[in-house]
Amino acid sequence: RELLKNGRGAEIFSGSNFGAQKPQNCGQGTNMSCGQNVENNGAQNAETSSHYSPLTSHHSGITLIALIITIVIMLILAGITINLTLGENGIFQRAKLAKSEYETASVQEQLEMDSLRTMGLDDAITDVTIEEYINNLKLEGLEEENIKERFTINQKKEYGVVIGAKVYSIYAEKNGIYVKLEKNHNILMADNDAFSANDKFLSTGLYRSDINSVNFATEKRHLEEGVVGYSDVTALGHPANTVMAWWKETSLGSGKYDVTIGSEGGVIAPIISRGLFYNMGITSINFENLDVSETINLTYFVANNSNLTTLELGDNFDTSNVVTTGYMFWADNKISSLDLGNKFDTINVIDMGRMFQGCQSLTYLNLGNKFDTTNVTYMGYMFCELYNITELNLGDKFSTKSVTNLDTIFAFQSASSQTGIKTVNLYLGVFGEEMDNRESVNTNDMFYNFGTQDSRIYTKSSEVKEWLKNTVHFNENQIIVRDY
């Protein structure tokens, strides 16, 4: 700048004098000429200039890779988040499962409470119908698939409700709704189609009229030699194939079959066994290995079997929970002998109407030592039309304490059997005693066509004798008071 000011700039930088005087630092301490230095500086600047382009490209590559990695990580995190939220074990699924488990626990708690509440005969649920009760369970969260309709005829209904591994029976009787936990799985199915010989028996596909005999077994033998068919007859709600029915042809080409029903450890009758063996073609039936201890309804149980000659209840026919035995043996008109055994406990029964009516061939009837009628209210036609009975002992537990209807109870002979009328000895036991409501009890035709004039009625109470004399106008000689 000073040189230019002094007018010497042109001299120094002119072409002829360029090399005559060097700038201050040219060539000092180096072998390079000033031109080389300038050249090198230019090259260095060019190198520096060219160095910026690949560096910028390198940074751009790193940014792109980082972006891709970030996107991948975000996608992975998004997948994890979606899975945690919506997956099989996700938050929503777990929340749904927790809700379902809570509802299931709530329903099960309700059923447990109601099963305890309805243990007694007089403890039925009466404030709702069975349909309303089932709908309330649905509102609590019970799934439709866990409700099995087992039986429905008129007002008699039963549902099986499955909660996990537990099965509850919910059934309706005249006095209300009952709930019972079924502790075993080997329960026989109920049967709605029990009123025509042309109806099928359970799920076998066999017509009732084509079955010659029924037996029960403590094991499953449906694959044994000679079996021509078998079927699962397990109660709805319980594991399939727990109870099996199998059958063999009675004789080749007969079209009649001998059916066996079996399960490991024996077979349990359904809670509502109404009409289970009604109107069949059977000539014999053996209940030795059938457990009826959980059953509450035996109405029409083995009734209207016109070919039945052999009926064996066995030693284990425990009826202690049964509420009704009405029509139980009705119109089994070829049975000549019937022994109820020592397990036929009727302490909870309230309805015995027409129980033995029409057993026209019966000459021997043993009620056993647990035939307790303390709670029975209806006995109408109970022993009506026992044409061939000549002696009947009611035992010491045949109480009429709760009864309201004795209509035609001892009409052993019907009007159509006048020519074959029998002489009958009837031992009343405690019948007629402890009756505070005698005036209101229906005693119409109580002893209609009872027997010949030689027939006798034995009682232990003089009071009962007077009541009978005034009620049915018996000859005083026909009613005998004595201890026996």
Side-chain angles (χ1 to χ4, degrees), residues 127-322:
D127 54 345
V128 291
T129 66
I130 190 167
E131 292 84 2
E132 291 170 339
Y133 186 89
I134 293 295
N135 285 333
N136 288 340
L137 292 181
K138 291 179 183 178
L139 292 175
E140 287 289 330
L142 182 64
E143 299 291 340
E144 188 77 39
E145 62 186 19
N146 291 334
I147 303 171
K148 314 293 181 181
E149 185 175 312
R150 293 177 173 176
F151 185 94
T152 174
I153 293 181
N154 300 327
Q155 299 302 313
K156 308 290 184 182
K157 294 188 178 183
E158 185 203 2
Y159 294 88
V161 173
V162 182
I163 304 290
K166 293 186 176 181
V167 182
Y168 295 85
S169 171
I170 302 170
Y171 54 93
E173 277 297 312
K174 290 180 181 179
N175 53 334
I177 301 166
Y178 295 85
V179 179
K180 182 174 290 187
L181 172 64
E182 296 180 336
K183 298 177 182 178
N184 300 289
H185 292 305
N186 52 329
I187 299 176
L188 181 65
M189 67 191 312
D191 200 346
N192 284 325
D193 298 325
F195 289 92
S196 170
N198 293 322
D199 286 327
K200 305 293 180 65
F201 176 57
L202 303 177
S203 61
T204 63
L206 300 176
Y207 291 107
R208 288 175 168 266
S209 57
D210 291 338
I211 298 176
N212 178 67
S213 68
V214 177
N215 289 281
F216 292 86
T218 57
E219 57 187 346
K220 294 185 286 187
R221 303 194 308 272
H222 56 287
L223 300 178
E224 69 182 5
E225 186 178 354
V227 171
V228 297
Y230 61 87
S231 175
D232 177 15
V233 290
T234 312
L236 294 177
H238 292 283
N241 301 320
T242 303
V243 183
M244 299 295 294
W246 60 94
W247 50 95
K248 300 179 180 181
E249 200 167 15
T250 303
S251 59
L252 187 61
S254 66
K256 302 293 182 181
Y257 301 93
D258 297 316
V259 176
T260 303
I261 300 172
S263 180
E264 302 303 323
V267 180
I268 299 174
I271 283 179
I272 296 182
S273 291
R274 186 180 193 271
L276 202 56
F277 305 100
Y278 176 88
N279 203 9
M280 301 179 72
I282 54 176
T283 59
S284 68
I285 190 165
N286 191 327
F287 295 112
E288 179 68 35
N289 293 311
L290 179 66
D291 182 352
V292 297
S293 62
E294 298 295 323
T295 302
I296 58 101
N297 190 319
L298 289 175
T299 308
Y300 293 105
F301 180 66
V302 59
N304 200 33
N305 294 299
S306 58
N307 297 321
L308 183 62
T309 57
T310 304
L311 194 163
E312 298 289 342
L313 296 181
D315 297 326
N316 299 307
F317 205 85
D318 180 1
T319 58
S320 55
N321 282 310
V322 174

Side-chain angles (χ1 to χ4, degrees), residues 286-413:
N286 191 327
F287 295 112
E288 179 68 35
N289 293 311
L290 179 66
D291 182 352
V292 297
S293 62
E294 298 295 323
T295 302
I296 58 101
N297 190 319
L298 289 175
T299 308
Y300 293 105
F301 180 66
V302 59
N304 200 33
N305 294 299
S306 58
N307 297 321
L308 183 62
T309 57
T310 304
L311 194 163
E312 298 289 342
L313 296 181
D315 297 326
N316 299 307
F317 205 85
D318 180 1
T319 58
S320 55
N321 282 310
V322 174
V323 175
T324 174
T325 58
Y327 291 89
M328 183 173 178
F329 304 102
W330 177 74
D332 288 338
N333 54 24
K334 288 187 178 178
I335 297 175
S336 60
S337 176
L338 181 59
D339 188 342
L340 300 188
N342 295 324
K343 291 289 187 69
F344 203 99
D345 187 343
T346 58
I347 185 60
N348 287 314
V349 176
I350 58 176
D351 181 1
M352 288 186 176
R354 302 180 188 267
M355 184 173 177
F356 303 100
Q357 181 185 5
C359 292
Q360 300 172 6
S361 301
L362 204 62
T363 59
Y364 173 76
L365 174 59
N366 180 13
L367 299 179
N369 59 12
K370 289 191 176 182
F371 203 89
D372 190 329
T373 60
T374 301
N375 292 302
V376 178
T377 60
Y378 182 66
M379 295 182 181
Y381 296 85
M382 186 172 175
F383 300 104
C384 181
E385 299 175 353
L386 303 189
Y387 296 165
N388 288 289
I389 202 76
T390 57
E391 181 173 301
L392 179 61
N393 191 331
L394 301 182
D396 60 359
K397 296 179 181 178
F398 203 100
S399 170
T400 49
K401 182 178 181 180
S402 303
V403 75
T404 59
N405 193 316
L406 294 170
D407 186 10
T408 324
I409 181 173
F410 298 117
F412 293 139
Q413 319 295 326

Side-chain angles (χ1 to χ4, degrees), residues 84-103:
L84 288 174
T85 306
L86 303 176
E88 184 176 347
N89 294 314
I91 294 172
F92 289 163
Q93 190 64 26
R94 288 183 180 180
K96 184 178 179 181
L97 181 61
K99 179 176 180 289
S100 176
E101 288 177 348
Y102 172 79
E103 290 174 344

